Amino acid sequence: MLHIYCPHCCEYREEEEFHVKGQAHLARPLDPEACSDKEWGEYLYFRKNPRGLHHELWVHAAGCRKFFNVTRDTVSYEIKEVYLIGEKPSVVAASVSAK
Amino acid sequence: MTQKNRLQSGGRIDRSKALTFTYNGKEYKGFEGDTLASAMLANGIDVIGRSFKYSRPRGIVAAGAEEPNAVMQLGATEATQVPNVRATQQELFDGLVSGATNGWPSVDNDLMGVVGKVGGKMMPPGFYYKTFMYPQSMWETYEKFIRKAAGLGRSSLENDPDSYEKINQHCDVLVVGAGPAGLTAALTAGRAGARVILADEQSEFGGSLLSSRETLDGAEASQWVEKVTAELAGMKEVMLLPRSTVNGYHDHNFLTIHQRNTDHISDKAPAGQARQTLHRVRAKWVVLATGAHERPLVYGNNDVPGCMIASAVSTYINRYGVVPGNELVVMTTNDGGYQAAFDWQDAGRKVVAIVDTRQNPQGAQVAEASKRGINLIKGSGVIDVAGSKRVTGVSIATLNAEGTAVQGSVTKLSADTVATSGGWSPVIHLAGHTGSRPVWDDKVVGFLPGPTVEKRLVAGAIAGDFTTAGALAQGAEAGRKALAELGLGQAEIELPATEEVVVHPPMTLFQIPHLKKTSEAPKQFVDYQNDVTAAGIELACREGFESIEHVKRYTALGFGTDQGKLGNIAGMAIAAKATGRTIPETGTTIFRPNYTPVTFGAMVGRDRGELFDPKRYTAMHKWHVENGALFEDVGQWKRPWYFPKAGETMQQSLDRECKATRESIGILDASTLGKIDIQGKDAREFLGRVYTNAWAKLAVGKCRYGLMCGEDGMVFDDGVTSCLGENHFVMTTTSGGAARVYEWLELYHQTEWPDLEVYFNTVTDHWSTMTISGPNARKLLQELTDYDVSKENLGFMDWREMKVAGVPARVFRISFTGELSFEINVQANFGLQVWEKLFEHGAKYNLTPYGTETMHILRAEKGFIIAGQDTDGSVHPYDLGMGWAVSQQKPFSFIGKRGMAREDCVRENRKQLVGLKTTDPTIVLPEGAQGVFDPKAPIPMPMVGHITSSYWSANLGHSIAMGLVKGGLDRMGEKVYYPLADGRVVEAEICSPIFLDPKGERQNV
Ligand SMILES: [Zn+2]
């Protein structure tokens, strides 16, 4: 069971309090009507499934009800960072493989 | 029979406290301090079960958690039955009742034993897959037989009378194992004031020191253990947990500890005590000091009772004062095995021989053996054992230097016990639970914990140092390291002086060769619990299962409650050899939680019965109960289902409730409807984006129905939202969908449109909601309020604040029944009071309470959908014939708009929601029934959609149904056929889903 730092509550809480909402940074197209069916289909259904670093959207559902992002290693389940909506991750696949 | 194998003195048992226990219906005696296993051995019980597959007699092999055979059924009564208890871990208590898990009809006269022996060759690995796959129809028969014969233990048929606890713990350092390494780790951390939990699976701390004859500081090791334990017990921040197995190591240092509080006292906990406790620990640092398990060697018929692990023999003698036999042969690949022979001899029984597989063993142990006059046979191995229910003799042969082949002649010796040592395997199970791969170490001849991201340290034998001195030092070092990492300062402890031990190199050997090749030699067991033999592993490799993970699954090596504690390393070595690889190349399988079985009771704790899941009640619940309601679960809500009167069938109740509502007035407790308060200057804009219809012009005091879709255009919830103020709305959702809708709104606000000024709050529980419906609804309401609720003053889809029964209320004139209807909302704590007032005044109108079932019927008569029942995530508003609720004119591309315009959503022949009228009006179609256009079509018939809602309508005098039908909206008047499971084919005509009052005249009065 993960131990997750909520950047809004500023403390570690148990995974039971959170819901994971899948891949982060999936911006809703600003002009949906301008999207082709293929583009809209990709927005709707196509998701990354990386072995390694993954940026995920989480919500502190049974806590402050705020959403935030998590960078998590899907192999070790290590949480590398949490960051607010609208922020960019500082730990990305390239920076880690470069080490 | 008295305790024939009990020594007169010695051991950590109390001979003044005799205990009586029962095994397989027979009474025996033991002493306080015994385990069930030591007491059984003291009484000379050889056979404690039958093996899983071959049904061979099995005896006790080990003295701890690694015991594969002595897995017992415990419990004096039906209610207190517990399966899967290792006799080696069960402390003896007076009145303990135990039985063998395997063995049918009895362990001594086993029916399957005959099959197993005769059919030895008939049961190769993969036997179950190969034999019982076909014909599939027979599988149930096979399974019953196999399960019964294999005897996997059984759970009680009665309720468990005991209670169990779960406790959440947080600590700085969790130390797993209280042997020499764990004790020094805990003491070091504890002295610095760290919050420490020290857990050990045994009844007393000390680990290997409890059965060792080594001294510490020149005295018995147990004295040092007592001193350290006493100091730890005096520390405020230290929690000591004996009888507590750390069973699971989960992500982010979350570990579960299974503590057995009273299992050593009785099979039922004393009044007021929890039998077991499950600790859920979040540890900042973990020190694993789990020790090592000795590996038995693999040789012919090595499963005959009397074949044991060398260190277990020493443990039984030194700790329990039990010598488990008369004539001992020791076989060893290392110095460690010798101790069993010395202990045996000191106990006054005969050591037949020490067989050392090494060509030229040297050192103190060899010298000691020679001094004691023990027959030491070098460069040899025990290749076979005679006997079936007990060892009667051994065959010893000379081996080549590599230990891969037999050389020379075979000597037969008489013996009843064979103790073997094939070296030690670090207990790395917990270290691997979070996915860390173990690493092979040639010097240790075993796997060590691999690298991990967890904040975890290892100390002692688990780290590959099998000496007491090493364990003591490594434990202290781990304690210091944890303190440094935690920034908790420093602490030093004085380590006790140990005896000097010079260890001579062991031989890397797992399987003793036989004269015949493995496939033809007597069975050589690798995994006792799963009956996996060396020949079986070789066969699996020959059949192409090269990956160790595949070998595991094909042979069952390391499966089940055993988790490969004894056999895994030998099994991998044999697989490595068979595939021409090294052990590190072959790798190891993954260990999984739990390390040893955990009872369901401990996992469940107090979350049972009433506390299993939270229940939500409305403010009027008491009234419903008093008035005979039957309840339905809607999410966690308990909603009245219907209100039967004496002597009524369910259908009669529903007919009465439906008719009363349409003829006069009915009342529904609608408090469970989700309610979300929405405020902010952009609230209106936000609503326009998440609903499919328009909200820009909804005036204060008005209500509007809305559909909510996903980005794919599919309906996922619906409800009425009312305008309370220019910047203030209250949204209703389905009862089960409230939490999901709330999170959906927050998701879009927080991640997509944070620029919108809007706030959401769930207010479902703030309000009691009662809906009165029917021609007399207005009359009743008017009697309870001064506000003018006439048609002119409170129109359809209006809401107003007023006092009802003297209580401030919001009254919404909305209708889910198609009748003149008012939804009265009052502050929740006034709910019951207002509800009762309504009944006081409503009696003259025959005010009739109804539940969810009548609500469903009444709305279906009107063709109103229930999201989640008539929709299933593949249905968009146009499929429902609800295009009227979609505004394509809104400037913002609302959620679902683009989705429902996709090619697949606008094609012909989509499944659409229609009404269905059966040709025979008395037949009520089952919900879920699949329709076809041509009932004579060959099977498989093309299916065209299913029934989503179906009821008997007392008001209409015929059945009504709604369902999805391909192209249904263009097929009005056409027939659909529903072939049912009972063979009937029901004909139905497609019609409008609005069966009653299509013009809506009843609600607009
Ligand atoms: Zn939070």
Side-chain angles (χ1 to χ4, degrees):
Chain A
M1 192 165 66
L2 306 185
H3 207 208
I4 301 168
Y5 184 84
C6 173
H8 301 285
C9 295
C10 298
E11 59 179 278
Y12 281 95
R13 306 296 297 176
E14 298 295 324
E15 184 182 335
E16 290 160 337
E17 295 185 7
F18 298 86
H19 291 167
V20 66
K21 310 299 285 186
Q23 187 179 328
H25 308 300
L26 289 168
R28 186 175 198 258
L30 288 175
D31 186 358
E33 269 61 49
C35 293
S36 66
D37 270 11
K38 183 167 181 292
E39 285 164 342
W40 195 253
E42 272 161 11
Y43 165 63
L44 276 182
Y45 300 120
F46 285 75
R47 297 292 181 268
K48 287 181 185 153
N49 185 21
R51 188 176 195 279
L53 288 189
H54 191 221
H55 306 291
E56 298 168 335
L57 180 64
W58 286 73
V59 57
H60 195 181
C64 63
R65 301 167 170 182
K66 291 280 195 184
F67 287 77
F68 58 96
N69 297 310
V70 168
T71 303
R72 190 175 64 93
D73 188 318
T74 61
V75 178
S76 67
Y77 287 17
E78 193 182 3
I79 292 178
K80 302 285 190 184
E81 62 175 338
V82 298
Y83 53 102
L84 299 174
I85 301 299
E87 291 180 355
K88 294 255 175 293
S90 63
V91 184
V92 292
S95 74
V96 168
S97 58
K99 273 183 196 167
Chain B
M1 189 161 58
T2 51
Q3 302 179 40
K4 65 172 189 176
N5 287 331
R6 184 77 70 180
L7 295 171
Q8 291 304 308
S9 62
R12 304 180 65 76
I13 49 164
D14 186 346
R15 287 175 178 75
S16 71
K17 289 181 182 150
L19 308 171
T20 305
F21 71 100
T22 307
Y23 165 65
N24 278 357
K26 227 171 123 182
E27 276 197 359
Y28 299 90
K29 295 273 185 206
F31 294 124
E32 192 166 298
D34 262 327
T35 60
L36 176 56
S38 66
M40 291 171 102
L41 289 172
N43 283 280
I45 297 171
D46 293 329
V47 181
I48 49 72
R50 290 276 175 165
S51 78
F52 180 72
K53 195 161 100 180
Y54 302 117
S55 208
R56 291 164 63 110
R58 288 284 162 81
I60 293 165
V61 168
E66 72 275 31
E67 169 60 37
N69 293 331
V71 175
M72 318 304 290
Q73 181 84 23
L74 252 57
T77 63
E78 178 59 30
T80 55
Q81 289 298 306
V82 181
N84 276 326
V85 178
R86 281 164 173 71
T88 49
Q89 295 190 291
Q90 174 62 47
E91 290 170 65
L92 197 67
F93 57 79
D94 201 43
L96 183 150
V97 176
S98 66
T101 297
N102 290 323
W104 170 63
S106 85
V107 287
D108 288 321
N109 178 21
D110 188 314
L111 192 67
M112 281 296 283
V114 182
V115 180
K117 286 219 185 64
V118 175
K121 285 248 163 57
M122 286 159 55
M123 294 184 84
F127 173 72
Y128 299 109
Y129 302 118
K130 287 169 176 166
T131 311
F132 292 143
M133 277 297 279
Y134 302 100
Q136 217 169 14
S137 60
M138 284 299 285
W139 175 247
E140 272 179 41
T141 314
Y142 292 140
E143 196 188 6
K144 233 177 271 166
F145 181 68
I146 292 167
R147 286 214 185 279
K148 189 174 178 197
L152 301 169
R154 66 181 196 85
S155 52
S156 166
L157 297 172
E158 294 174 10
N159 284 338
D160 189 335
D162 282 314
S163 58
Y164 300 78
E165 297 277 11
K166 279 190 281 192
I167 301 181
N168 294 325
Q169 307 275 15
H170 296 265
C171 66
D172 294 320
V173 187
L174 169 61
V175 181
V176 185
L183 286 171
T184 55
L187 190 61
T188 305
R191 279 195 183 166
R195 179 177 279 201
V196 176
I197 297 177
L198 174 60
D200 191 281
E201 63 187 359
Q202 300 209 46
S203 58
E204 37 180 352
F205 287 174
S208 61
L209 300 176
L210 293 172
S211 50
S212 162
R213 291 165 80 187
E214 275 182 79
T215 60
L216 290 178
D217 281 340
E220 271 185 39
S222 60
Q223 289 182 17
W224 178 82
V225 173
E226 275 166 36
K227 198 181 78 187
V228 172
T229 306
E231 185 180 342
L232 286 167
M235 293 176 177
K236 202 167 99 265
E237 295 295 338
V238 174
M239 176 184 278
L240 301 181
L241 297 177
R243 301 187 174 98
S244 300
T245 309
V246 180
N247 266 303
Y249 193 144
H250 305 271
D251 296 302
H252 299 184
N253 270 6
F254 180 74
L255 295 95
T256 51
I257 306 178
H258 182 210
Q259 181 179 20
R260 297 166 295 278
N261 304 315
T262 68
D263 288 57
H264 62 292
I265 302 171
S266 165
D267 65 355
K268 185 177 171 339
Q273 276 195 58
R275 178 171 180 163
Q276 299 175 350
T277 305
L278 190 75
H279 299 262
R280 298 151 43 93
V281 184
R282 191 68 79 171
K284 288 182 184 154
W285 277 87
V286 171
V287 176
L288 295 181
T290 49
H293 288 150
E294 194 171 23
R295 285 190 295 267
L297 287 161
V298 176
Y299 52 99
N301 288 311
N302 57 342
D303 67 326
V304 176
C307 293
M308 298 179 75
I309 297 169
S311 60
V313 167
S314 289
T315 298
Y316 285 115
I317 296 170
N318 296 332
R319 183 165 173 190
Y320 301 106
V322 173
V323 202
N326 290 306
E327 299 178 316
L328 175 75
V329 168
V330 168
M331 169 163 61
T332 186
T333 62
N334 60 83
D335 284 2
Y338 284 66
Q339 189 61 42
F342 303 158
D343 292 334
W344 191 277
Q345 195 179 48
D346 291 345
R349 298 211 179 169
K350 184 181 170 189
V351 175
V352 176
I354 295 176
V355 181
D356 195 323
T357 60
R358 294 175 292 187
Q359 296 287 316
N360 191 21
Q362 298 289 327
Q365 298 294 75
V366 176
E368 173 74 14
S370 134
K371 203 175 91 189
R372 286 165 171 265
I374 294 173
N375 178 17
L376 175 60
I377 307 172
K378 302 173 185 178
S380 300
V382 173
I383 62 165
D384 194 7
V385 161
S388 70
K389 289 179 191 167
R390 178 80 198 200
V391 173
T392 57
V394 295
S395 299
I396 297 168
T398 316
L399 308 178
N400 64 0
E402 295 74 38
T404 52
V406 170
Q407 288 177 333
S409 60
V410 174
T411 311
K412 294 197 178 193
L413 295 176
S414 168
D416 66 0
T417 308
V418 183
T420 65
S421 175
W424 292 80
S425 299
V427 179
I428 56 173
H429 295 68
L430 291 172
H433 281 178
T434 56
S436 157
R437 286 270 171 185
V439 179
W440 179 260
D441 189 299
D442 274 328
K443 228 163 68 202
V444 173
V445 194
F447 282 100
L448 296 178
T452 180
V453 298
E454 304 294 344
K455 293 179 167 45
R456 176 259 275 166
L457 301 164
V458 292
I462 183 182
D465 190 330
F466 301 133
T467 67
T468 300
L472 293 163
Q474 286 195 6
E477 172 60 23
R480 285 194 296 271
K481 189 144 184 239
L483 288 175
E485 292 282 357
L486 289 160
L488 290 175
Q490 292 177 337
E492 289 298 329
I493 62 166
E494 51 298 327
L495 297 177
T498 53
E499 294 172 35
E500 197 185 335
V501 190
V502 179
V503 181
H504 290 264
M507 179 172 171
T508 304
L509 185 64
F510 306 95
Q511 181 192 5
I512 307 300
H514 192 268
L515 296 165
K516 299 176 182 170
K517 57 182 184 183
T518 304
S519 58
E520 289 161 15
K523 281 196 163 50
Q524 302 175 336
F525 285 91
V526 177
D527 178 336
Y528 294 90
Q529 194 175 87
N530 297 297
D531 258 355
V532 179
T533 63
I537 294 170
E538 285 187 4
L539 177 63
C541 294
R542 274 206 306 280
E543 293 191 354
F545 294 91
E546 289 182 358
S547 153
I548 193 66
E549 293 285 358
H550 291 161
V551 171
K552 169 179 170 172
R553 276 153 191 82
Y554 197 55
T555 61
L557 174 71
F559 263 40
T561 65
D562 190 57
Q563 285 292 299
K565 291 182 186 70
L566 285 187
N568 251 26
I569 303 293
M572 285 156 211
I574 291 162
K577 199 170 133 195
T579 52
R581 291 176 295 183
T582 63
I583 295 178
E585 280 166 0
T586 307
T588 176
T589 54
I590 291 279
F591 297 112
R592 293 200 167 79
N594 285 318
Y595 175 67
T596 47
V598 178
T599 60
F600 280 112
M603 283 188 257
V604 168
R606 302 274 175 176
D607 304 335
R608 53 185 280 197
E610 284 295 301
L611 300 179
F612 177 67
D613 194 37
K615 292 191 180 98
R616 299 176 79 183
Y617 302 108
T618 73
M620 290 80 92
H621 188 77
K622 184 172 130 263
W623 190 95
H624 303 324
V625 172
E626 285 166 4
N627 284 273
L630 296 180
F631 291 88
E632 181 183 31
D633 290 341
V634 179
Q636 289 171 329
W637 287 107
K638 294 285 168 194
R639 295 198 72 178
W641 185 23
Y642 63 100
F643 290 83
K645 287 192 169 167
E648 275 183 345
T649 64
M650 179 175 177
Q651 191 60 53
Q652 285 167 341
S653 303
L654 299 178
D655 291 352
R656 174 179 52 76
E657 290 172 12
C658 285
K659 282 187 153 162
T661 303
R662 296 228 186 270
E663 283 165 11
S664 179
I665 181 167
I667 183 165
L668 173 76
D669 180 354
S671 307
T672 64
L673 270 185
K675 300 173 213 51
I676 300 170
D677 190 85
I678 304 174
Q679 301 191 39
K681 73 176 173 56
D682 297 317
R684 190 180 291 275
E685 169 63 21
F686 191 91
L687 287 174
R689 296 184 184 188
V690 297
Y691 273 131
T692 57
N693 50 348
W695 294 83
K697 297 197 179 87
L698 187 72
V700 177
K702 288 283 180 190
C703 315
R704 183 165 290 170
Y705 173 82
L707 281 176
M708 218 175 263
C709 293
E711 293 283 15
D712 58 0
M714 303 305 162
V715 172
F716 88 91
D717 209 86
D718 68 342
V720 169
T721 293
S722 306
C723 186
L724 303 184
E726 189 47 40
N727 299 326
H728 190 186
F729 296 81
V730 64
M731 172 186 282
T732 62
T733 73
T734 55
S735 293
R740 194 177 56 226
V741 171
Y742 175 80
E743 195 167 285
W744 177 253
L745 302 179
E746 287 286 1
L747 171 71
Y748 272 86
H749 180 229
Q750 290 181 38
T751 65
E752 292 293 345
W753 311 314
D755 50 312
L756 295 187
E757 192 185 310
V758 57
Y759 306 90
F760 310 96
N761 195 15
T762 59
V763 295
T764 304
D765 304 61
H766 299 195
W767 299 92
S768 279
T769 306
M770 45 213 99
T771 306
I772 52 173
S773 256
N776 288 316
R778 182 178 285 133
K779 274 189 247 170
L780 175 59
L781 178 60
Q782 193 65 77
E783 283 185 33
L784 288 162
T785 183
D786 295 336
Y787 191 86
D788 172 11
V789 295
S790 68
K791 180 183 178 180
E792 293 70 31
N793 206 40
L794 181 59
F796 185 53
M797 298 307 275
D798 283 352
W799 81 272
R800 293 290 181 273
E801 255 172 14
M802 63 187 77
K803 277 194 171 167
V804 177
V807 172
R810 288 175 183 170
V811 176
F812 300 80
R813 203 188 141 190
I814 54 181
S815 180
F816 196 41
T817 60
E819 294 299 321
L820 173 62
S821 182
F822 299 90
E823 200 180 280
I824 304 162
N825 285 262
V826 297
Q827 203 178 300
N829 49 343
F830 289 124
L832 182 59
Q833 172 187 333
V834 175
W835 180 271
E836 284 176 337
K837 265 278 184 276
L838 284 164
F839 273 91
E840 235 172 73
H841 290 257
K844 57 183 169 293
Y845 303 115
N846 185 31
L847 177 63
T848 300
Y850 66 87
T852 51
E853 196 62 25
T854 289
M855 174 189 83
H856 282 184
I857 299 169
L858 295 173
R859 64 90 202 179
E861 287 172 349
K862 286 291 297 173
F864 295 144
I865 63 153
I866 289 189
Q869 174 165 338
D870 300 299
T871 68
D872 62 1
S874 71
V875 182
H876 60 53
Y878 297 97
D879 295 334
L880 295 169
M882 292 173 75
W884 53 266
V886 182
S887 165
Q888 297 290 357
Q889 315 309 321
K890 292 195 283 185
F892 192 88
S893 181
F894 63 85
I895 299 174
K897 183 180 185 186
R898 180 62 188 88
M900 65 184 79
R902 284 176 299 147
E903 188 185 342
D904 187 64
C905 292
V906 296
R907 68 175 164 78
E908 296 290 298
N909 219 24
R910 282 182 63 83
K911 287 181 183 170
Q912 294 165 326
L913 192 75
V914 293
L916 291 151
K917 216 162 24 178
T918 51
T919 307
D920 176 347
T922 63
I923 297 178
V924 180
L925 279 162
E927 286 171 0
Q930 291 285 346
V932 298
F933 289 140
D934 176 9
K936 299 207 168 61
I939 291 170
M941 298 183 200
M943 292 184 284
V944 299
H946 69 278
I947 299 291
T948 59
S949 294
S950 179
Y951 311 94
W952 172 254
S953 167
N955 285 308
L956 294 164
H958 61 77
S959 70
I960 54 170
M962 289 155 78
L964 294 165
V965 176
K966 273 189 182 167
L969 294 172
D970 295 325
R971 290 177 177 271
M972 289 295 152
E974 292 182 26
K975 296 280 196 286
V976 188
Y977 300 87
Y978 294 89
L980 303 183
D982 61 11
R984 284 182 301 158
V985 177
V986 179
E987 185 185 84
E989 185 186 311
I990 298 176
C991 60
S992 157
I994 308 172
F995 293 94
L996 187 134
D997 184 25
K999 289 192 184 134
E1001 285 159 347
R1002 299 177 69 92
Q1003 67 195 16
N1004 282 321
V1005 290

